[in-house]
Amino acid sequence: MNPQATETGVRQLGHFVGGRWIDSKSQSFQDVTNPATGVLLARVPLGGADDVAAAVLAAREAYPAWRATPPAMRVRPMFKLKQLLEEHFDDLARTVTREHGKTVDEARGSVRRGVDNVERACGIPSLLMGEALEDVGQNVDCEAVRQPLGVYAAICPFNFPAMVPLWFLPYAIACGNTFILKPSEQVPLSAALLIDLVQQAGFPAGVVNLVNGGRAAVDAILDHPDIKGVSFVGSSPVAQHVYRRGAEHGKRVQALGGAKNFVVVMPDANMDHAAEAVAESAYGNAGERCLAGSVVLAVGAAAEPLRDRLIAQSRNYRVGDGMDPKTEMGPLISKPHRDRVVGYIGKGVEAGAELVVDGRPVVAQMPQGNFLGATFFDHVETQMQIAQEEIFGPVLCMIRVPDLDAAIAIMRAHPLANATSIFTTNGKHARQFRYNVDASMIGVNIGVAAPMAFFPFGGAKGSFFGDTKAHGMDAIGFYTDKKVVISRWV
Ligand code: NAD
């Protein structure tokens, strides 16, 4: 089981290397606090190159035997992991809430999405099958088989502490690779629990490893010559850095970045449904979601009825500790991040947007945590900072546009393109929208277009660096190489 309390009674985390938890070689630690209460939960080591090197060594040593284990045997501990995740489902969801702040319901939803990937990876014997064709020439046959490559690493963000690691870990190892997880240093506890379950599931030592840390650990992963590929999820500037530096060292990289997601509401939409879905998209997970719809583009006559409904929705969000079942919106991850979001509200006011619902009074009303209320701006202009930059908090901006073409033009001009949605009852509008937007996760009358485990997850333009996305069949492509064998037997 993962570590030990210190003399002060605070749990001090380590790294998981070669099948056991070990102390960090780095003496640098960061506090992990509950964002709803400010209570200190643990101290996480900020691992460096030595810690990464130890994990790579363990993963490299475990690789030959794991790779040679038949896929049908490799999935046995995977089935066990799935069972353990079900048994510890609530514990995991509560750990997510405790360290991240989202409501327990939201946490459960995200853990379910993570477990879906474990379930899917249990089918790896079928997913890994290659292709074959007899008689590509006279007496010549050809086949393509998929092979693992070696050691992979995944670097994760703070906003989905259990789900995002599970986008990668199950597929990487089911394909026969060995793996190093680098969780966000802001939320290391869910990953530690996941690793405890991996250990109980019976994967051989060294197949899955974990290094805690921040920037230094990331750069050590990117520079290490024995890591073949890196999966990354986080903000766009870091995604781009990971993509560049990983590629410089000859690695495969899939880097999922940040977002500024636009939601279009047509005048023909069902307004009640649209307003409810837009509010949930903007304020769910306190807006800390790469799929959050943070700018609503109200087309023509949609604006007034939508405004009224969004005001009602925004005022109704009950803010509190995510552990309380009555809470609808938890705190933000940290005080500096909360202050950054509050700063954006000030910038919106300064730029002349109409602040219709102001969530800032919540800051003083609930000083124990990093709380902020739902905030709604109307009459936002496209060039304003609040309309252009990822805020990653519960702030919804409404821009009024004359028609669908104008809405699409705003989206196409934006450098990020992760997800988008349209609300309409008109199939022609829906088709024009899906055909022309750049974002690659699209909702039609859906506020949060989150692809399930069996579909690829990832955006476009500055929201994604690479070519193969997370989960879906892309995961199998990312974690394997295709080897083609051409044979003649005469
Ligand atoms: P972040 O970029 O700050 O951190 C992500 C990871 O990178 C962490 O593990 C962190 O330790 C590491 N890191 C941070 N700064 C670094 C640096 N300068 N050099 C090297 N490594 C560094 O992101 P975050 O704040 O943890 O997560 C929120 C961001 O993630 C948002 O932008 C959100 O849109 C994005 N996100 C995207 C998706 C997606 O599917 N595209 C999903 C979830 C989150």
Side-chain angles (χ1 to χ4, degrees):
M1 252 328 236
N2 177 21
Q4 85 252 25
T6 58
E7 325 70 83
T8 54
V10 176
R11 184 176 171 198
Q12 187 157 297
L13 301 177
H15 310 300
F16 186 76
V17 174
R20 63 195 182 91
W21 288 99
I22 58 167
D23 288 340
S24 181
K25 297 187 199 311
S26 152
Q27 291 312 308
S28 174
F29 284 82
Q30 181 172 311
D31 289 348
V32 183
T33 52
N34 181 329
T37 62
V39 167
L40 181 63
L41 299 173
R43 297 178 73 232
V44 62
L46 298 176
D50 290 348
D51 298 293
V52 169
V56 177
L57 187 62
R60 220 182 57 187
E61 283 176 355
Y63 175 64
W66 183 242
R67 183 238 149 127
T69 305
M73 302 289 282
R74 289 205 293 259
V75 295
R76 290 196 179 160
M78 193 68 76
F79 276 105
K80 179 75 182 158
L81 177 61
K82 151 78 180 155
Q83 183 197 333
L84 288 165
L85 284 163
E86 296 298 351
E87 285 167 20
H88 295 266
F89 191 85
D90 236 47
D91 194 11
L92 195 48
R94 284 173 180 280
T95 304
V96 168
T97 295
R98 206 170 293 122
E99 67 177 347
H100 172 273
K102 66 182 75 192
T103 68
V104 174
D105 259 6
E106 290 171 336
R108 285 196 189 104
S110 72
V111 172
R112 177 54 58 204
R113 286 296 186 110
V115 176
D116 284 351
N117 290 283
V118 176
E119 201 167 281
R120 185 156 184 275
C122 288
I124 208 72
S126 304
L127 295 171
L128 265 186
M129 278 184 188
E131 304 154 39
L133 182 67
E134 265 186 353
D135 296 326
V136 290
Q138 195 94 53
N139 292 317
V140 179
D141 302 330
C142 187
E143 64 178 316
V145 293
R146 289 186 178 278
Q147 292 193 340
L149 288 168
V151 181
Y152 275 83
I155 300 159
C156 298
F158 79 81
N159 63 332
F160 285 96
M163 179 183 80
V164 171
L166 291 174
W167 281 357
F168 305 115
L169 183 156
Y171 302 108
I173 61 173
C175 286
N177 304 288
T178 53
F179 185 75
I180 299 166
L181 176 63
K182 207 298 282 172
S184 164
E185 62 277 34
Q186 298 189 83
V187 291
L189 296 171
S190 308
L193 178 50
L194 278 178
I195 293 294
D196 285 339
L197 301 180
V198 163
Q199 191 178 18
Q200 286 175 46
F203 289 97
V207 169
V208 176
N209 307 274
L210 176 145
V211 176
N212 277 306
R215 185 179 183 154
V218 170
D219 287 345
I221 287 171
L222 298 173
D223 295 349
H224 201 295
D226 292 335
I227 296 180
K228 300 295 178 196
V230 174
S231 304
F232 172 87
V233 182
S235 59
S236 281
V238 183
Q240 192 166 22
H241 163 74
V242 167
Y243 187 66
R244 281 214 183 108
R245 191 151 168 171
E248 257 169 40
H249 288 89
K251 297 185 195 328
R252 288 187 174 193
V253 182
Q254 49 177 192
L256 284 70
K260 187 73 181 172
N261 301 316
F262 296 87
V263 178
V264 175
V265 178
M266 300 300 291
D268 58 53
N270 174 330
M271 281 306 155
D272 289 337
H273 168 66
E276 203 176 310
V278 169
E280 164 49 30
S281 179
Y283 303 137
N285 278 268
E288 291 173 332
R289 189 156 58 181
C290 70
L291 299 177
S294 63
V295 180
V296 59
L297 300 168
V299 175
E304 286 306 321
L306 188 61
R307 173 189 166 105
D308 293 344
R309 288 165 175 81
L310 285 175
I311 291 173
Q313 289 282 342
S314 307
R315 286 193 180 135
N316 270 346
Y317 264 78
R318 197 195 308 255
V319 179
D321 187 335
M323 285 293 182
D324 180 345
K326 293 198 280 305
T327 294
E328 291 168 321
M329 187 162 78
L332 291 164
I333 185 68
S334 64
K335 286 221 164 16
H337 181 58
R338 196 264 319 275
D339 294 346
R340 195 176 151 268
V341 177
V342 167
Y344 270 109
I345 300 174
K347 285 178 192 170
V349 173
E350 262 170 48
E354 184 195 358
L355 181 56
V356 192
V357 180
D358 186 355
R360 290 175 298 182
V362 169
V363 174
Q365 287 157 12
M366 304 175 72
Q368 74 284 14
N370 317 322
F371 295 102
L372 177 64
T375 298
F376 175 44
F377 278 104
D378 192 2
H379 296 289
V380 174
E381 300 290 337
T382 310
Q383 74 287 353
M384 291 177 184
Q385 254 176 300
I386 53 170
Q388 287 295 318
E389 295 174 13
E390 182 176 38
I391 298 175
F392 226 52
V395 180
L396 174 63
C397 300
M398 185 153 97
I399 300 179
R400 295 167 178 239
V401 291
D403 51 35
L404 181 54
D405 285 337
I408 292 173
I410 288 173
M411 296 166 64
R412 289 188 62 107
H414 199 278
L416 302 179
N418 206 42
T420 183
S421 296
I422 186 169
F423 288 84
T424 181
T425 49
N426 181 317
K428 181 168 169 284
H429 291 151
R431 184 174 192 280
Q432 183 187 344
F433 180 80
R434 59 186 279 176
Y435 194 84
N436 288 301
V437 295
D438 295 318
S440 31
M441 295 182 278
I442 298 177
V444 178
N445 298 317
I446 300 279
V448 182
M452 306 282 292
F454 16 89
F455 287 98
F457 194 115
K461 299 203 297 193
S463 294
F464 179 71
F465 301 87
D467 48 12
T468 40
K469 298 189 173 176
H471 55 65
M473 281 309 287
D474 279 29
I476 313 303
F478 187 71
Y479 293 122
T480 58
D481 191 27
K482 280 189 209 153
K483 191 180 268 182
V484 175
V485 183
I486 307 170
S487 352
R488 173 187 279 137
W489 293 97
V490 285

